[in-house]
Structure formats: structure tokens, C-alpha cells
Amino acid sequence: MDRFSELETFVAVAEAGGFNAAARALGRSPPSVTRLVAGLEDRIGTRLFNRTTRQIALTEAGQRLLADARRILEDLASAEASAAGAHEEPQGELTVTAPVIFGRRYIAPVLRAFLDRHSRVTGRAILLDRVVDLIEEGIDVAVRIGDLPDSSLTAVRVGDLRRVVVASPEYLRQHGAPQHPSDLAAHRIVLSASLQSDQAWEFHAGASVVSVPVSPLLRGNNIDMTLDAAREGWAVTRAMSYQVADALAAGDLVEVLADFEDRLAPIHLIHAEGSLRAAKIRAFLDFAAKDLRQKAKAWIARGGAG
């Protein structure tokens, strides 16, 4: 077995904190990962990990080897990329995933502009309102909205969003605008279950947190259906600020309870650790981050009836 695979696998296990997680990251089977690490340990004559049934930890020898192994792998990747010309010219298929509306509004235009600039790159956009496993589904870059769980993925923050409660001007004329989150109990609510729990809505104002039980008259898994109902004056709904930006600008919807929506949800571009070796990913992250950060102020703009 070649030494590159052994070192690559050793680093993956150390960074992922386990053999199974490393196997998923590398696209290999857990037994093959175990064999590669064991082969490396046999060849150098020392244990690199202390193993228990619940966890693994680097030995002192493993800690010493990890820094050198990372440097060796980075040098090799750089040499290969330079020889192939990948540093100078991005190439190959770039796969990007994002939530549907955000993807259509912001990611698709920046992806088209990126492809216009890089003639040797082709694009694939996967727009889904669910979390996609980058490694299992072969994704290069993903948009994530909200706090990120701990993972081996690398994130680039590009802006923030707010949640907003909205209703049509006609609905507010008929029913009045809620002045406090507790007032929502007296209003008809339509809810997109893909956005948040249908049990309670959480609001923030400074250090105070207000949790309001909600009883939606209509629930759905499609935000467009929810927003149609709100625009037509049928109910109040809650959405992410970018989802209602056009309707707010056109006056079809009005934001309410803005003073209780001061918590921001971060937006990140994420990619698998180590994938920056591909010039197409490095170039797209730089290109997209610059574009999205220029648009970020519009995502948290406020406006409405109260």
C-alpha cells in the first residue's frame, strides 16, 4: 500500500476524530481505513492512536507525525496542482447546493457569472430546502443558513438574515397589526414547516427571549404556498427576510413585530475540508463571497407596521 494513502488516511482519522467519520470523508470503507492506519503503525513501529470502545486519541508519536503529515500532503497537492495547471485555470464540473429561493435569487446569478468568467468550468445547481450531505452527494459548495453544527466542513461567512413576521396590508386593515408576540394568539397563522417548529415561535429583543405558542390554521412544506396565502390577505406568516424581500418592496406584504426580530441567522458557504486543493472551488468561493457580501445589507433591512 502506498505511503501517500497511509498518510492521507492517518490525517483524516485524526481530524475527523474517528475511523468511521474518516471513512465517510474519504469515500472509503471503514475496514480499509483501519487497515491503512494499522499498516502505517506497523511500518514505523509505534502506535499512533490510543483506542477505546468509545473514542480515539492521538499518542505522542501520533501528534508529532500529524504536523509533518499535513505538510507533506499539502506540498504534494500543491506540486500536483501546479503541474496540472489547476492553480492557474479552474476546470471541471462545480456542484453547488442552496435553499430554493435563496438559490434562485442569489446563487444562480453568481454561478452564471462565474461560468462566464471560467470557460473550462461547467456548473450544476441543486436547489433544495433540506440539508444535503456534501460528501455522500458529491457537492463542492453548499449554502447554509443558521448556526452551523460542529463538523469537519470549512465555512466562509458571507452575511446574515432575519426572520420576519409579515401580513398583507388588507389583512392588517381588517385585523390590526400585532404589537407584541403574544398578540399572535388572536391572529390566523399559515406556516411553512420547513422553516421552523410549528409548536412555538421564538422572538428576541435585547437580552429578552419571548416564546409564543402558535396554532397554525394551515401548514405546508412549501414556502411559496405560505407566502401566497399571506399576500392574498388570508393569514399572518413568518419567513426569512430574503424570502419576502420582493413582496415587502412592492408593498404586497408588511413586516410586523420588527422590534422583536433582532436575532440574526448567519449565512455560510461551506465545503469539505481539504477541497480547496481544487482551483474551481477556491475561485468560486472567492468570487461568490465577494458578490454575496455586497448584497448582504439588503437581507436584514427592516420595514413595516410595527
Side-chain angles (χ1 to χ4, degrees):
M1 189 62 66
D2 69 89
R3 295 184 177 186
F4 172 81
S5 294
E6 290 179 346
L7 288 178
E8 180 184 49
T9 304
F10 162 68
V11 171
V13 173
E15 292 178 344
F19 286 82
N20 289 337
R24 290 192 296 271
L26 294 170
R28 294 174 176 158
S29 68
S32 70
V33 168
T34 301
R35 285 196 300 271
L36 284 166
V37 172
L40 177 59
E41 290 176 325
D42 289 344
R43 186 163 55 79
I44 64 178
T46 188
R47 293 182 67 83
L48 299 172
F49 295 101
N50 289 318
R51 303 166 175 82
T52 69
T53 57
R54 300 180 65 109
Q55 62 183 6
I56 67 167
L58 285 166
T59 63
E60 184 177 347
Q63 292 172 352
R64 289 196 302 268
L65 178 61
L66 182 59
D68 289 336
R70 283 173 170 159
R71 176 182 52 77
I72 291 168
L73 293 175
E74 288 171 2
D75 288 347
L76 179 58
S78 178
E80 290 178 342
S82 180
H87 280 310
E88 289 72 31
E89 186 172 4
Q91 56 189 297
E93 184 178 71
L94 177 74
T95 302
V96 182
T97 186
V100 175
I101 295 178
F102 191 90
R104 288 169 55 191
R105 183 186 299 272
Y106 299 111
I107 298 303
V110 78
L111 181 56
R112 292 195 299 267
F114 179 78
L115 296 177
D116 285 342
R117 178 171 296 190
H118 299 285
S119 61
R120 298 187 65 183
V121 180
T122 60
R124 182 165 67 108
I126 301 176
L127 305 184
L128 297 169
D129 288 326
R130 65 175 176 84
V131 175
V132 178
D133 188 298
L134 272 65
I135 295 170
E136 289 187 0
E137 303 198 35
I139 306 295
D140 294 311
V141 179
V143 175
R144 291 283 188 269
I145 298 174
D147 295 330
L148 295 175
D150 292 335
S151 74
S152 62
L153 300 174
T154 302
V156 178
R157 189 163 181 163
V158 296
D160 301 279
L161 292 170
R162 295 188 304 121
R163 284 194 172 93
V164 295
V165 178
V166 294
S168 72
E170 180 60 29
Y171 179 93
L172 296 176
R173 278 193 292 269
Q174 292 185 18
H175 303 282
Q179 302 301 310
H180 187 273
S182 60
D183 296 340
L184 291 170
H187 289 267
R188 176 183 284 185
I189 291 175
V190 59
L191 174 69
S192 174
S194 64
L195 177 64
Q196 59 183 325
S197 167
D198 61 0
Q199 302 299 313
W201 287 353
E202 192 173 83
F203 295 86
H204 298 78
S208 300
V209 178
V210 180
S211 183
V212 178
V214 293
S215 299
L217 186 61
L218 176 63
R219 286 180 299 222
N221 66 346
N222 181 277
I223 188 66
D224 289 328
M225 180 208 73
T226 301
L227 296 180
D228 285 345
R231 277 193 296 264
E232 292 167 11
W234 192 79
V236 175
T237 194
R238 200 181 197 194
M240 301 304 295
S241 52
Y242 76 90
Q243 295 172 327
V244 295
D246 286 348
L248 289 172
D252 296 332
L253 291 173
V254 177
E255 181 182 359
V256 298
L257 301 175
D259 290 342
F260 298 89
E261 298 278 18
D262 68 347
R263 187 181 184 190
L264 300 181
I267 305 175
H268 292 92
L269 299 174
I270 67 170
H271 57 91
E273 190 169 359
S275 63
L276 284 180
R277 297 171 184 172
K280 62 181 180 181
I281 298 176
R282 290 197 311 276
F284 180 75
L285 288 171
D286 291 342
F287 186 84
K290 180 179 179 180
D291 180 89
L292 296 175
R293 286 170 180 150
Q294 291 174 345
K295 298 179 171 68
K297 289 184 180 180
W299 301 340
I300 58 174
R302 293 173 179 265

